Amino acid sequence: MNANLTINYDDIIGKIDPRLWGSFTEQLGRSIYTGIYQPGHPQADSNGFRKDVIEAILKLKVPLIRYPGGNFVSGYNWEDGIGPKDQRPRRLDLAWKSIETNEFGLHEFINWCRLVNAQPDMAINLGTRGIDAARNLIEYCNFSKGTYWSDLRRKNGAEEPFNIKVWSLGNEMDGDWQIGHKTAEEYGRLAHETAKAMRIVDPNIELIASGSSLHNMPTFGKWEETILDHVYDDIDYLSLHQYYDDYDHDIAKFLASSEDFDSFINDVIAICDAVKARKHSNKIINLAMDEWNVWYHSKETDAQQKPWQQAPTLLEDHYTFADALVVGGLAITLMKHADRVKIGCLAQLVNVIAPIMTRPSGEPSVWYQSIFYPFMQVSNLGQGLSLKVKKEVKAYQINNRDIPYVDAAAVYNSKKQEIVLFIENKSSDSINLNCSFNNFDIQKLLTSTTFSGYNLDLTNEQQVMKLRTSKTTSLEDDCLRAQLEPYSWNVARIKVEV
Ligand code: AHR
């Protein structure tokens, strides 16, 4: 099979917001406890933050981290996580049927974010709480001094305000599993009033409203339309969450997840723009894909987990090579929507459906999942202008939809004067790739890697997976040529002049 790609300098989709490659850490399972925080561990610093985990996260360069949930936030009292640790309450976490010690809270999160070079995306509880808790939290975090909450922050050790810029108005409020689940009308009203109060305290914040929890939610569409009627003028982003699975064990269908992801994004854009038109508004609502990943391996064992444990093993999917290809495909889709999807959070970061895993004791203390590698490449190299990629390639059909055997994203990084190509082969055959560039002066091939040749069903513990240099990629007559291996994820960096 052959695949011909063409990239034009002028065919710009949009600038990739660096926050597209954010992530998420929830007070859930071992994400925090024995994940990023474990006092007494040989790798822990004086605050209990694991240095081995920080080192791994720095490789992923995540610029934004959502916290503290997720489902957890809808039953959370943020005040439980401030002040002397020995006075913090132990609570039932109803979302995950666990015991929350609150040893890790707001200050710990902010201090840790500084160590991993990320800005926080703070989610507020619109499940069991509302305007009052939100206005107090933002006063605590962002007001300088001289009031009850800001002075309490100073008393608790932070003289300077945290100046948290990005805030999420609740989490998955459309889901009946959510503590304090709401109708679209109820959520829309509450989100509007909460946003209003928060912006009075700090007019410089950016707000994300809680969109649909999955593309196939029964309320999808109507939910977005209704809540946008209430919050259109208050918010900057509308969120989307999406997880994929391979319960059918059908690789062609699983790899087609990126196309469903694409339609989900297109659908939400269409709804936002329809509300814009109806409101005669000039404002454009952008999207925050603030939970995305593969999630299914752990669901059966999690259902049998004993309730009310402290930091139990939960959502610890061990990812296969097939999962890594799906994550790569989803990342390509995000880059294709760089004009509207401005925030993304790979869910999650450590231990819980995560690229990074830890052992509470023993060696290696940290190990990488298969999905670590494509995510690391997009977060490090997917920076700049996303360019359209014209494709001539055969497609297969899933649910009456064409799924091209080759999917690709191209990014032009003007600072580095390079084009980065992310190319996935979804076929069981190798493919001859030919990529031409218009209005670029092609200089040389800088690097070319492939992630391929592994058993689709095995994890990184069962087979050691690594990025390899591609031996088949070359530049000939200003064209990039490569033989893409079956089921492969490929990244090429090309030095250019414009
Ligand atoms: O990321 C795991 C869970 O998935 C989150 O808590 C929730 O928001 C979503 O359903």
Side-chain angles (χ1 to χ4, degrees):
M1 207 189 307
N2 293 320
N4 295 322
L5 311 182
T6 313
I7 296 159
N8 284 308
Y9 174 62
D10 302 330
D11 240 347
I12 299 168
I13 298 171
K15 184 172 176 347
I16 295 177
D17 188 318
R19 298 175 303 174
L20 188 60
W21 309 123
S23 189
F24 172 34
T25 185
E26 179 168 1
Q27 305 251 151
L28 185 192
R30 301 195 309 111
S31 177
I32 306 287
Y33 305 109
T34 76
I36 66 179
Y37 176 82
Q38 193 179 356
H41 188 276
Q43 291 278 355
D45 68 10
S46 56
N47 292 311
F49 302 138
R50 282 196 41 178
K51 289 182 281 183
D52 50 350
V53 179
I54 291 171
E55 196 185 312
I57 294 170
L58 287 173
K59 291 197 173 127
L60 294 182
K61 289 210 167 114
V62 287
L64 177 93
I65 300 180
R66 187 165 168 256
Y67 170 86
N71 296 339
F72 172 81
V73 78
S74 299
Y76 183 50
N77 299 337
W78 66 268
E79 305 87 335
D80 291 348
I82 57 171
K85 288 193 180 187
D86 58 357
Q87 289 167 30
R88 297 188 193 171
R90 282 167 71 84
R91 298 261 192 212
L92 293 185
D93 158 18
L94 304 189
W96 302 105
K97 289 199 182 146
S98 308
I99 299 289
E100 174 56 58
T101 64
N102 284 305
E103 208 184 315
F104 188 98
L106 181 57
H107 288 253
E108 288 76 26
F109 176 63
I110 298 295
N111 291 336
W112 175 81
C113 272
R114 291 177 182 141
L115 299 176
V116 295
N117 297 333
Q119 57 161 302
D121 164 357
M122 189 60 64
I124 58 167
N125 177 354
L126 291 189
T128 59
R129 307 188 84 188
I131 309 166
D132 201 37
R135 65 155 181 168
N136 294 343
L137 175 58
I138 195 164
E139 181 183 322
Y140 187 95
C141 293
N142 287 12
F143 203 75
S144 59
K145 60 181 176 182
T147 64
Y148 176 79
W149 291 107
S150 58
D151 286 344
L152 186 58
R153 180 200 69 239
R154 293 167 65 222
K155 185 172 156 227
N156 287 334
E159 179 58 35
E160 294 305 318
F162 298 145
N163 284 328
I164 298 175
K165 178 97 179 157
V166 180
W167 297 79
S168 288
L169 294 165
N171 177 70
E172 296 190 348
M173 301 310 304
D174 60 330
D176 61 4
W177 59 86
Q178 202 68 209
I179 307 290
H181 165 224
K182 295 188 169 39
T183 64
E185 278 291 338
E186 289 166 346
Y187 171 69
R189 285 280 307 127
L190 179 60
H192 166 68
E193 292 298 334
T194 307
K196 189 168 91 186
M198 291 175 74
R199 280 203 195 278
I200 294 173
V201 181
D202 184 349
N204 298 318
I205 53 174
E206 292 189 330
L207 289 172
I208 305 173
S210 192
S212 286
S213 306
L214 282 170
H215 195 186
N216 62 4
M217 289 296 287
T219 49
F220 172 64
K222 191 76 194 143
W223 175 270
E224 281 72 6
E225 235 186 297
T226 311
I227 69 163
L228 283 173
D229 270 342
H230 291 285
V231 298
Y232 200 91
D233 294 332
D234 306 311
I235 61 160
D236 302 284
Y237 310 97
L238 181 62
S239 84
L240 304 77
H241 291 180
Q242 187 64 36
Y243 294 99
Y244 290 98
D245 64 66
D246 189 21
Y247 284 121
D248 295 339
H249 201 247
D250 176 344
I251 186 66
K253 189 172 156 214
F254 193 31
L255 290 174
S257 302
S258 54
E259 295 293 324
D260 174 73
F261 203 49
D262 188 64
S263 1
F264 188 17
I265 294 169
N266 282 329
D267 290 349
V268 176
I269 291 171
I271 297 166
C272 289
D273 292 350
V275 177
K276 172 176 181 281
R278 192 154 38 75
K279 284 184 175 282
H280 301 283
S281 173
N282 290 325
K283 178 179 177 185
I284 290 174
I285 298 288
N286 285 319
L287 309 191
M289 181 63 79
D290 53 16
E291 287 188 34
W292 64 278
N293 202 346
V294 169
W295 173 17
Y296 73 109
H297 298 284
S298 58
K299 284 200 175 165
E300 217 177 293
T301 46
D302 284 357
Q304 284 146 29
Q305 186 63 284
K306 210 168 96 237
W308 313 125
Q309 299 180 67
Q310 223 172 286
T313 299
L314 283 177
L315 281 71
E316 297 205 9
D317 275 37
H318 286 205
Y319 289 115
T320 63
F321 180 55
D323 298 329
L325 293 176
V326 170
V327 164
L330 299 178
I332 286 177
T333 301
L334 288 176
M335 287 184 269
K336 286 185 193 166
H337 287 283
D339 53 336
R340 293 299 288 272
V341 185
K342 295 295 176 186
I343 288 179
C345 299
L346 177 73
Q348 299 191 8
L349 189 55
V350 181
N351 289 333
V352 167
I353 43 174
I356 298 166
M357 299 297 287
T358 69
R359 289 190 174 83
S361 60
E363 291 293 330
S365 59
V366 163
W367 60 277
Y368 302 154
Q369 299 245 36
S370 59
I371 63 168
F372 182 94
Y373 298 98
F375 186 72
M376 177 178 68
Q377 290 195 302
V378 292
S379 63
N380 280 261
L381 301 171
Q383 306 283 354
L385 292 177
S386 175
L387 303 179
K388 275 194 189 132
V389 181
K390 288 198 186 117
K391 287 187 292 199
E392 282 168 38
V393 61
K394 271 206 225 152
Y396 62 99
Q397 288 246 313
I398 298 286
N399 298 334
N400 293 325
R401 188 184 291 153
D402 277 344
I403 316 293
Y405 279 108
V406 168
D407 203 1
V411 175
Y412 169 56
N413 186 323
S414 59
K415 264 195 225 140
K416 292 189 186 164
Q417 289 278 289
E418 64 182 50
I419 295 178
V420 186
L421 276 173
F422 303 89
I423 310 167
E424 185 157 288
N425 178 358
K426 297 182 197 271
S427 141
S428 56
D429 295 327
S430 65
I431 294 181
N432 294 315
L433 179 95
N434 197 331
C435 179
S436 50
F437 305 88
N438 291 335
N439 301 328
F440 281 106
D441 186 359
I442 301 299
Q443 303 281 307
K444 64 174 177 180
L445 182 63
L446 295 169
T447 56
S448 174
T449 62
T450 183
F451 198 41
S452 55
Y454 299 113
N455 184 319
L456 290 166
D457 296 327
L458 298 185
T459 68
N460 210 9
E461 295 157 295
Q462 297 159 327
Q463 62 186 345
V464 179
M465 293 182 239
K466 282 194 182 125
L467 302 173
R468 287 180 287 117
T469 299
S470 159
K471 301 220 168 76
T472 64
T473 311
S474 60
L475 275 179
E476 288 165 41
D477 306 326
D478 287 350
C479 277
L480 183 89
R481 295 188 211 282
Q483 180 129 38
L484 304 177
E485 289 197 36
Y487 298 126
S488 60
W489 164 260
N490 309 277
V491 179
R493 289 172 50 228
I494 300 135
K495 186 89 189 159
V496 294
E497 272 175 18
V498 287

